[in-house]
PDB file of all heavy atoms in Angstrom:
ATOM      1  N   GLU A1579     -10.015   0.403 -17.241  1.00  0.00           N
ATOM      2  CA  GLU A1579     -10.336   1.662 -17.921  1.00  0.00           C
ATOM      3  C   GLU A1579      -9.671   1.669 -19.299  1.00  0.00           C
ATOM      4  O   GLU A1579      -8.808   2.494 -19.593  1.00  0.00           O
ATOM      5  CB  GLU A1579      -9.875   2.839 -17.066  1.00  0.00           C
ATOM      6  CG  GLU A1579     -10.741   3.089 -15.855  1.00  0.00           C
ATOM      7  CD  GLU A1579     -12.111   3.693 -16.206  1.00  0.00           C
ATOM      8  OE1 GLU A1579     -12.352   4.035 -17.381  1.00  0.00           O
ATOM      9  OE2 GLU A1579     -12.935   3.795 -15.280  1.00  0.00           O
ATOM     10  N   PHE A1580     -10.140   0.747 -20.139  1.00  0.00           N
ATOM     11  CA  PHE A1580      -9.519   0.596 -21.450  1.00  0.00           C
ATOM     12  C   PHE A1580      -9.712   1.839 -22.311  1.00  0.00           C
ATOM     13  O   PHE A1580      -8.933   2.119 -23.211  1.00  0.00           O
ATOM     14  CB  PHE A1580     -10.079  -0.634 -22.173  1.00  0.00           C
ATOM     15  CG  PHE A1580      -9.963  -1.897 -21.376  1.00  0.00           C
ATOM     16  CD1 PHE A1580     -10.974  -2.845 -21.412  1.00  0.00           C
ATOM     17  CD2 PHE A1580      -8.853  -2.141 -20.582  1.00  0.00           C
ATOM     18  CE1 PHE A1580     -10.882  -4.017 -20.675  1.00  0.00           C
ATOM     19  CE2 PHE A1580      -8.747  -3.306 -19.832  1.00  0.00           C
ATOM     20  CZ  PHE A1580      -9.767  -4.248 -19.884  1.00  0.00           C
ATOM     21  N   GLY A1581     -10.773   2.595 -22.058  1.00  0.00           N
ATOM     22  CA  GLY A1581     -11.003   3.846 -22.787  1.00  0.00           C
ATOM     23  C   GLY A1581      -9.870   4.834 -22.600  1.00  0.00           C
ATOM     24  O   GLY A1581      -9.714   5.753 -23.409  1.00  0.00           O
ATOM     25  N   HIS A1582      -9.073   4.628 -21.543  1.00  0.00           N
ATOM     26  CA  HIS A1582      -7.984   5.575 -21.282  1.00  0.00           C
ATOM     27  C   HIS A1582      -6.600   4.957 -21.486  1.00  0.00           C
ATOM     28  O   HIS A1582      -5.599   5.470 -20.993  1.00  0.00           O
ATOM     29  CB  HIS A1582      -8.183   6.220 -19.915  1.00  0.00           C
ATOM     30  CG  HIS A1582      -9.507   6.922 -19.873  1.00  0.00           C
ATOM     31  ND1 HIS A1582      -9.725   8.089 -20.565  1.00  0.00           N
ATOM     32  CD2 HIS A1582     -10.695   6.559 -19.344  1.00  0.00           C
ATOM     33  CE1 HIS A1582     -10.995   8.435 -20.420  1.00  0.00           C
ATOM     34  NE2 HIS A1582     -11.612   7.525 -19.693  1.00  0.00           N
ATOM     35  N   ILE A1583      -6.566   3.894 -22.261  1.00  0.00           N
ATOM     36  CA  ILE A1583      -5.286   3.421 -22.811  1.00  0.00           C
ATOM     37  C   ILE A1583      -4.872   4.427 -23.885  1.00  0.00           C
ATOM     38  O   ILE A1583      -5.684   4.816 -24.725  1.00  0.00           O
ATOM     39  CB  ILE A1583      -5.465   2.009 -23.426  1.00  0.00           C
ATOM     40  CG1 ILE A1583      -5.638   0.992 -22.312  1.00  0.00           C
ATOM     41  CG2 ILE A1583      -4.302   1.656 -24.342  1.00  0.00           C
ATOM     42  CD1 ILE A1583      -5.820  -0.429 -22.812  1.00  0.00           C
ATOM     43  N   ILE A1584      -3.629   4.886 -23.808  1.00  0.00           N
ATOM     44  CA  ILE A1584      -3.133   5.860 -24.794  1.00  0.00           C
ATOM     45  C   ILE A1584      -2.780   5.109 -26.077  1.00  0.00           C
ATOM     46  O   ILE A1584      -1.901   4.246 -26.065  1.00  0.00           O
ATOM     47  CB  ILE A1584      -1.873   6.589 -24.275  1.00  0.00           C
ATOM     48  CG1 ILE A1584      -2.051   7.097 -22.842  1.00  0.00           C
ATOM     49  CG2 ILE A1584      -1.463   7.683 -25.243  1.00  0.00           C
ATOM     50  CD1 ILE A1584      -2.973   8.246 -22.670  1.00  0.00           C
ATOM     51  N   VAL A1585      -3.463   5.438 -27.161  1.00  0.00           N
ATOM     52  CA  VAL A1585      -3.125   4.789 -28.431  1.00  0.00           C
ATOM     53  C   VAL A1585      -2.353   5.725 -29.362  1.00  0.00           C
ATOM     54  O   VAL A1585      -1.666   5.273 -30.270  1.00  0.00           O
ATOM     55  CB  VAL A1585      -4.364   4.229 -29.169  1.00  0.00           C
ATOM     56  CG1 VAL A1585      -4.974   3.076 -28.378  1.00  0.00           C
ATOM     57  CG2 VAL A1585      -5.402   5.298 -29.426  1.00  0.00           C
ATOM     58  N   GLU A1586      -2.474   7.024 -29.143  1.00  0.00           N
ATOM     59  CA  GLU A1586      -1.721   7.983 -29.967  1.00  0.00           C
ATOM     60  C   GLU A1586      -1.203   9.101 -29.063  1.00  0.00           C
ATOM     61  O   GLU A1586      -1.924  10.089 -28.819  1.00  0.00           O
ATOM     62  CB  GLU A1586      -2.608   8.568 -31.080  1.00  0.00           C
ATOM     63  CG  GLU A1586      -1.829   9.445 -32.044  1.00  0.00           C
ATOM     64  CD  GLU A1586      -2.697   9.941 -33.202  1.00  0.00           C
ATOM     65  OE1 GLU A1586      -2.833   9.194 -34.191  1.00  0.00           O
ATOM     66  OE2 GLU A1586      -3.244  11.052 -33.105  1.00  0.00           O
ATOM     67  N   PRO A1587       0.042   8.953 -28.555  1.00  0.00           N
ATOM     68  CA  PRO A1587       0.574   9.991 -27.664  1.00  0.00           C
ATOM     69  C   PRO A1587       0.501  11.359 -28.336  1.00  0.00           C
ATOM     70  O   PRO A1587       0.831  11.491 -29.515  1.00  0.00           O
ATOM     71  CB  PRO A1587       2.034   9.572 -27.459  1.00  0.00           C
ATOM     72  CG  PRO A1587       2.078   8.111 -27.772  1.00  0.00           C
ATOM     73  CD  PRO A1587       1.026   7.876 -28.816  1.00  0.00           C
ATOM     74  N   GLY A1588       0.019  12.352 -27.599  1.00  0.00           N
ATOM     75  CA  GLY A1588      -0.121  13.691 -28.176  1.00  0.00           C
ATOM     76  C   GLY A1588      -1.333  13.829 -29.086  1.00  0.00           C
ATOM     77  O   GLY A1588      -1.516  14.862 -29.723  1.00  0.00           O
ATOM     78  N   GLY A1589      -2.189  12.800 -29.126  1.00  0.00           N
ATOM     79  CA  GLY A1589      -3.372  12.834 -29.986  1.00  0.00           C
ATOM     80  C   GLY A1589      -4.471  13.736 -29.430  1.00  0.00           C
ATOM     81  O   GLY A1589      -4.212  14.585 -28.572  1.00  0.00           O
ATOM     82  N   PRO A1590      -5.718  13.549 -29.919  1.00  0.00           N
ATOM     83  CA  PRO A1590      -6.813  14.434 -29.500  1.00  0.00           C
ATOM     84  C   PRO A1590      -6.995  14.476 -27.980  1.00  0.00           C
ATOM     85  O   PRO A1590      -6.822  13.465 -27.304  1.00  0.00           O
ATOM     86  CB  PRO A1590      -8.050  13.799 -30.149  1.00  0.00           C
ATOM     87  CG  PRO A1590      -7.536  12.937 -31.240  1.00  0.00           C
ATOM     88  CD  PRO A1590      -6.170  12.493 -30.837  1.00  0.00           C
ATOM     89  N   GLN A1591      -7.347  15.630 -27.482  1.00  0.00           N
ATOM     90  CA  GLN A1591      -7.594  15.820 -26.046  1.00  0.00           C
ATOM     91  C   GLN A1591      -8.781  14.970 -25.605  1.00  0.00           C
ATOM     92  O   GLN A1591      -9.824  14.939 -26.257  1.00  0.00           O
ATOM     93  CB  GLN A1591      -7.888  17.294 -25.780  1.00  0.00           C
ATOM     94  CG  GLN A1591      -8.104  17.646 -24.322  1.00  0.00           C
ATOM     95  CD  GLN A1591      -6.810  17.568 -23.503  1.00  0.00           C
ATOM     96  OE1 GLN A1591      -5.785  18.100 -23.912  1.00  0.00           O
ATOM     97  NE2 GLN A1591      -6.866  16.879 -22.380  1.00  0.00           N
ATOM     98  N   CYS A1592      -8.612  14.270 -24.486  1.00  0.00           N
ATOM     99  CA  CYS A1592      -9.688  13.463 -23.901  1.00  0.00           C
ATOM    100  C   CYS A1592     -10.217  14.197 -22.665  1.00  0.00           C
ATOM    101  O   CYS A1592      -9.440  14.871 -21.976  1.00  0.00           O
ATOM    102  CB  CYS A1592      -9.124  12.090 -23.522  1.00  0.00           C
ATOM    103  SG  CYS A1592     -10.315  10.982 -22.746  1.00  0.00           S
ATOM    104  N   PRO A1593     -11.519  14.081 -22.372  1.00  0.00           N
ATOM    105  CA  PRO A1593     -12.039  14.747 -21.164  1.00  0.00           C
ATOM    106  C   PRO A1593     -11.299  14.345 -19.883  1.00  0.00           C
ATOM    107  O   PRO A1593     -11.312  15.076 -18.899  1.00  0.00           O
ATOM    108  CB  PRO A1593     -13.498  14.284 -21.101  1.00  0.00           C
ATOM    109  CG  PRO A1593     -13.847  13.850 -22.470  1.00  0.00           C
ATOM    110  CD  PRO A1593     -12.578  13.379 -23.107  1.00  0.00           C
ATOM    111  N   CYS A1594     -10.619  13.198 -19.880  1.00  0.00           N
ATOM    112  CA  CYS A1594      -9.927  12.734 -18.669  1.00  0.00           C
ATOM    113  C   CYS A1594      -8.696  13.574 -18.355  1.00  0.00           C
ATOM    114  O   CYS A1594      -8.121  13.456 -17.271  1.00  0.00           O
ATOM    115  CB  CYS A1594      -9.520  11.269 -18.796  1.00  0.00           C
ATOM    116  SG  CYS A1594      -8.026  10.969 -19.765  1.00  0.00           S
ATOM    117  N   GLY A1595      -8.250  14.390 -19.320  1.00  0.00           N
ATOM    118  CA  GLY A1595      -7.068  15.199 -19.096  1.00  0.00           C
ATOM    119  C   GLY A1595      -5.869  14.756 -19.922  1.00  0.00           C
ATOM    120  O   GLY A1595      -4.954  15.540 -20.181  1.00  0.00           O
ATOM    121  N   SER A1596      -5.867  13.490 -20.353  1.00  0.00           N
ATOM    122  CA  SER A1596      -4.764  12.982 -21.176  1.00  0.00           C
ATOM    123  C   SER A1596      -5.070  13.208 -22.660  1.00  0.00           C
ATOM    124  O   SER A1596      -6.145  13.681 -23.016  1.00  0.00           O
ATOM    125  CB  SER A1596      -4.541  11.497 -20.905  1.00  0.00           C
ATOM    126  OG  SER A1596      -4.383  11.267 -19.533  1.00  0.00           O
TER     127      SER A1596
END
Side-chain angles (χ1 to χ4, degrees):
Chain A
E1579 286 287 354
F1580 305 142
H1582 301 288
I1583 288 180
I1584 312 289
V1585 293
E1586 186 176 275
Q1591 183 71 48
C1592 178
C1594 80
S1596 307

